[in-house]
Amino acid sequence: MTNILVVEDELSIRSFVSLSLRKKGYEVMEAESGEQALELFRNKNFDVVLLDLMLPGIDGFTVCQEIRKVNQKVGIIMITAKTQVKDKIEGLVIGADDYLCKPFSLQELEVRIFSLLRRMNVADEAASQMTDMLISGDFKMDLKNNKFYSFDEVVKLTPTEFSLLHFLMGHPNKLFTRDELLDAVWGENYVGELKVVDVNIRRIRQKIEKDPSSPMYLCTEWGRGYLWKVNE
């Protein structure tokens, strides 16, 4: 059963979302503050965290950063009343997998959770295809254990980063537009901004490229899209 932590200070929203998710078969725990969320996170394993940005005490940005310090695998969806692009990007940059703006429908929330769980299950899907290891030059992707290696050093990737990199590495030297990447990695029913692709590409480059401003592997063809470049 999928375990979800709902972090929201408004009781009416928190209770409504939690009840709806329980009816869908999810196991749900609730937190009304950043401090309570971190305490619960330290004592229980969660698959997904629904994280409101505007919290009393420790805000959602800080909670996200603290979670990512100890766990790269949990899926994080930020829920925000802020609609400015810079706020959305900041959440993605510090480690969120997705964001949802208030007000939102339960149907949209369910689609976002489903899309995130799909990305998180990429290793299981690959394993079912009898593929254990994806190797490209000095990079290795262990699909059984959801680990990525650069020059034999483990690189910590979020579920979305792992899924995006897995897709691109699996199609070397093939160019994909942002729309194509959204459909392939986030799912055709995903409703969100194309910027989410750019931010995740940027985060991956910071982790695997020697010079992220001049990437050798995760490359851009300006105005066209992204590709995983391999010397043939």
Side-chain angles (χ1 to χ4, degrees):
M1 181 180 291
T2 300
N3 297 307
I4 298 179
L5 175 60
V6 178
V7 188
E8 167 64 61
D9 63 316
E10 292 188 41
L11 177 60
S12 59
I13 297 176
R14 188 175 72 248
S15 299
F16 182 62
V17 169
S18 298
L19 178 61
S20 300
L21 292 176
R22 290 187 181 105
K23 288 181 177 179
K24 292 293 182 178
Y26 297 110
E27 182 175 326
V28 181
M29 293 191 72
E30 303 174 28
E32 62 181 358
S33 67
E35 291 86 350
Q36 186 181 11
L38 292 174
E39 181 64 27
L40 287 171
F41 195 82
R42 282 191 285 266
N43 293 287
K44 185 175 176 62
N45 293 322
F46 293 98
D47 302 296
V48 174
V49 178
L50 303 182
L51 180 59
D52 186 31
L53 281 184
M54 304 298 289
L55 295 170
I58 302 176
D59 65 24
F61 288 121
T62 304
V63 173
C64 181
Q65 289 175 314
E66 292 300 313
I67 288 176
R68 281 293 179 234
K69 286 179 182 179
V70 298
N71 191 321
Q72 293 287 323
K73 292 185 178 181
V74 65
I76 300 176
I77 299 177
M78 281 194 162
I79 298 176
T80 176
K82 297 182 177 182
T83 57
Q84 293 185 7
V85 173
K86 69 178 183 64
D87 295 310
K88 299 173 185 177
I89 292 176
E90 183 179 353
L92 294 171
V93 167
I94 64 175
D97 294 284
D98 201 356
Y99 58 82
L100 193 58
C101 292
K102 295 179 180 178
F104 56 86
S105 68
L106 286 174
Q107 182 178 9
E108 184 179 6
L109 175 61
E110 291 166 14
V111 169
R112 296 298 182 97
I113 293 173
F114 180 82
S115 175
L116 178 55
L117 291 173
R118 175 179 173 270
R119 300 196 296 276
M120 292 169 66
N121 288 332
V122 65
D124 293 335
E125 294 172 3
S128 68
Q129 298 170 8
M130 302 302 290
T131 303
D132 297 340
M133 192 75 70
L134 184 59
I135 300 174
S136 179
D138 295 306
F139 300 98
K140 294 186 295 185
M141 184 167 276
D142 182 347
L143 300 169
K144 285 283 189 180
N145 299 299
N146 247 25
K147 290 185 178 181
F148 180 79
Y149 298 86
S150 173
F151 297 89
D152 294 323
E153 294 289 331
V154 175
V155 177
K156 293 181 179 180
L157 299 175
T158 68
T160 299
E161 291 166 356
F162 189 93
S163 185
L164 177 57
L165 194 50
H166 170 249
F167 179 78
L168 288 168
M169 286 179 64
H171 301 83
N173 295 323
K174 183 174 181 180
L175 183 71
F176 293 94
T177 66
R178 292 185 295 173
D179 282 313
E180 289 172 333
L181 290 173
L182 270 183
D183 287 345
V185 179
W186 279 262
E188 294 182 1
N189 294 322
Y190 177 82
V191 179
E193 298 180 15
L194 290 173
K195 202 70 178 177
V196 71
V197 176
D198 302 330
V199 175
N200 276 278
I201 291 287
R202 190 190 317 161
R203 285 196 326 214
I204 296 171
R205 283 175 176 161
Q206 292 291 336
K207 295 179 179 183
I208 71 170
E209 297 279 1
K210 290 183 178 180
D211 182 3
S213 63
S214 182
M216 296 175 59
Y217 309 101
L218 190 48
C219 299
T220 302
E221 288 199 11
W222 296 108
R224 298 184 63 196
Y226 299 105
L227 74 156
W228 179 260
K229 186 170 289 187
V230 175
N231 293 324
E232 297 179 342

